[in-house]
Amino acid sequence: MGMTISMALTWILFLGLFPMAFFWLRRAWRILVRHDYSEVALKGGEPPPEPQRYAGMAGAINLIAGAAAVIAIIGVVGFQWPYDTWTAVAGSTIWCKLMADFGLSRHAHLKARLARRASSNQEA
């Protein structure tokens, strides 16, 4: 049985779970335990004006996503989950994490943008 494109993409997804889980769990550790808010709700590489306000949600998003990636890895290696099961867990985790981070960052920066807009209207 030779290597097909589908098999290569499956291996890329599975092997990609390892660094994703590591980075997500490390980010959760930094936010929740070490209180490092430099990676909370980034938009354009900048944190919001009050990152500690959104730190709990950002930490929870990263912790849940990292745990789901670890569960998918353990499911493949330890419990021999079928292809459809573990790819559904991995894919859903990746997409939900991306959407949740995007939504949190836009929400966190919205208040600052509205304040800037109000102050510029008062000056004019």
Side-chain angles (χ1 to χ4, degrees):
M1 183 166 154
M3 180 65 87
T4 63
I5 292 175
S6 175
M7 188 181 301
L9 290 175
T10 300
W11 272 103
I12 290 170
L13 175 61
F14 178 67
L15 294 175
L17 286 175
F18 289 88
M20 281 188 282
F22 172 76
F23 285 114
W24 292 340
L25 291 173
R26 183 181 67 169
R27 181 177 279 185
W29 174 266
R30 285 180 177 176
I31 293 170
L32 297 174
V33 177
R34 297 179 69 198
H35 304 289
D36 178 8
Y37 304 131
S38 62
E39 297 183 19
V40 172
L42 298 178
K43 180 179 176 186
E46 296 292 322
E50 299 176 47
Q52 64 277 6
R53 181 174 177 191
Y54 305 100
M57 183 61 69
I61 290 169
N62 284 289
L63 185 63
I64 292 168
V70 169
I71 288 170
I73 292 168
I74 292 171
V76 171
V77 175
F79 298 109
Q80 298 178 352
W81 280 358
Y83 174 80
D84 292 341
T85 302
W86 77 264
T87 54
V89 170
S92 298
T93 299
I94 293 167
W95 279 108
C96 288
K97 162 84 166 74
L98 291 174
M99 286 187 267
D101 273 346
F102 180 80
L104 181 65
S105 68
R106 294 318 180 254
H107 177 73
H109 288 271
L110 179 64
K111 187 175 179 180
R113 189 176 77 196
L114 292 175
R116 281 193 307 267
R117 185 178 293 170
S119 67
S120 66
N121 286 342
Q122 290 175 355
E123 292 173 1

